[in-house]
Amino acid sequence: MLTRRHIRVKVMQSFYAFTQSKNQNLGAEKKFIYKSMEDMYDLFLLNLDLLLQIRNKAQDFIEKSQKKYLPTAKDINPSLNFVNNKFLKQLEQSGQLDELLEDHKLNNWHQDDEYVAILWDLIKEDERFIAYLDQEATTYKEDKKIVTYLFKEIIAPNDKLYEYLEDKKLTWLDDLPLVNTAVLKLINKTKETQEQVRIPALFKNEEDEEFAIDLLEKCLLNQEYYSNLIQDKTPNWDKDRIADIDSILLKMALCEFLKFPSIPVKVSINEYLEIAKEYSTPKSSIFINGILDKLSKELKEKGELNKVGRGLM
């Protein structure tokens, strides 16, 4: 589930917390970043489960409507398009999500089902959702499209849900954009021909898991050296004039230049420019690009860029 960019963002956050903290315990920070990534995965699983719980709430609504003293024609013969949504059935029938929720001891929507009810109340009044229910039959593509729409436009932006997640775990607020993107990506890439939704693991492979800890450790242990390299390229800048996040991103990029021979220089630069656009000031990416371009050329001339493989310089 975590891409290398997600991992870099997590390292950036830990690096920032470490430099701001009086407790300079590297071992504790390494444990924290791993726990932070596991918590992010929990949020990912909870978002997937929330989709199923809303579908279950829709089923309950239908059953209660049919038991009304004076049911309408719609109550008696309700649309089953949503409760039979093909993508949600794929997600439920795999059994993988249930196993992961149990392994991670996640039962939030059973304990706090009022948030499921809040979201269902909004969804059932939505015009596009009503139009979806009014169709005689729906295709797999339409089923995925309505789930994507509901998640993007109603579930993810909901203030009550946001407050709930903030109360449960403060770090989840920083994780939300990445997690929401991961949920939408999973919906988008799932095919009708699949028997079940394949829920990705936290890390794609062991190498990615090691990358997170290695990057944090090597950044922190060598940050004074990286600071001096940056200072040489910004002689007219006081340290206080360089945004904290910009300084951290520059050091992380330098760390990848010098300590990760399999990562191309261009990849490192592009990744940190994208992160800067998201997390720093409007002009940060231009500033960072200029410094990294100068440093990469200088380090290459000195023979300090020991990259392995073709096209990695």
Side-chain angles (χ1 to χ4, degrees), residues 59-273:
Q59 179 68 56
D60 292 342
F61 176 78
I62 288 172
E63 291 173 2
K64 288 177 182 176
S65 296
Q66 289 175 327
K67 293 176 183 176
K68 285 180 182 177
Y69 181 66
L70 293 173
T72 65
K74 268 195 173 183
D75 292 332
I76 296 169
N77 294 299
S79 169
L80 300 178
N81 288 347
F82 186 60
V83 297
N84 289 333
N85 183 282
K86 299 171 190 66
F87 170 78
L88 295 180
K89 277 186 173 281
Q90 273 180 314
L91 182 60
E92 180 184 47
Q93 289 173 354
S94 71
Q96 187 188 5
L97 181 57
D98 283 341
E99 290 176 10
L100 287 166
L101 291 169
E102 187 174 346
D103 288 345
H104 289 248
K105 298 178 172 58
L106 299 171
N107 63 349
N108 295 53
W109 309 129
H110 295 286
Q111 290 184 336
D112 303 309
D113 70 334
E114 64 268 28
Y115 293 93
V116 180
I118 288 169
L119 290 166
W120 168 242
D121 284 342
L122 292 171
I123 288 169
K124 73 176 193 286
E125 301 299 329
D126 181 81
E127 289 184 6
R128 184 164 168 180
F129 180 71
I130 293 169
Y132 165 79
L133 292 182
D134 285 342
Q135 293 177 245
E136 276 194 32
T138 59
T139 64
Y140 182 78
K141 184 178 179 181
E142 288 168 335
D143 282 356
K144 279 213 308 183
K145 191 177 286 187
I146 196 65
V147 173
T148 298
Y149 167 76
L150 295 176
F151 186 78
K152 283 178 68 174
E153 303 299 331
I154 298 179
I155 299 170
N158 186 265
D159 289 338
K160 294 289 184 184
L161 180 62
Y162 184 89
E163 290 168 8
Y164 171 77
L165 295 174
E166 182 181 28
D167 288 342
K168 284 294 178 182
K169 202 155 290 182
L170 191 58
T171 57
W172 277 349
L173 297 189
D174 289 330
D175 295 337
L176 269 175
L178 299 177
V179 168
N180 290 343
T181 299
V183 170
L184 293 171
K185 184 178 178 181
L186 178 64
I187 297 169
N188 183 57
K189 76 175 188 177
T190 302
K191 307 298 181 187
E192 186 173 8
T193 52
Q194 294 173 213
E195 288 186 11
Q196 58 191 39
V197 176
R198 301 186 190 104
I199 300 172
L202 175 57
F203 297 103
K204 184 171 67 176
N205 50 43
E206 192 174 319
E207 188 179 305
D208 276 4
E209 185 173 355
E210 291 172 354
F211 173 67
I213 303 301
D214 285 350
L215 180 58
L216 177 64
E217 184 173 39
K218 289 171 181 176
C219 281
L220 293 175
L221 292 176
N222 297 282
Q223 64 170 315
E224 188 174 341
Y225 175 59
Y226 303 145
S227 291
N228 291 333
L229 288 176
I230 295 165
Q231 188 64 34
D232 288 344
K233 290 290 165 284
T234 54
N236 299 321
W237 287 67
D238 292 332
K239 286 183 179 179
D240 292 341
R241 287 184 64 201
I242 301 176
D244 289 341
I245 294 297
D246 292 357
S247 176
I248 286 169
L249 295 178
L250 285 167
K251 290 172 187 174
M252 289 174 67
L254 283 171
C255 184
E256 289 191 24
F257 287 178
L258 298 168
K259 302 295 183 181
F260 292 83
S262 66
I263 301 177
V265 168
K266 287 182 179 179
V267 168
S268 296
I269 292 175
N270 288 338
E271 285 292 284
Y272 289 108
L273 292 182

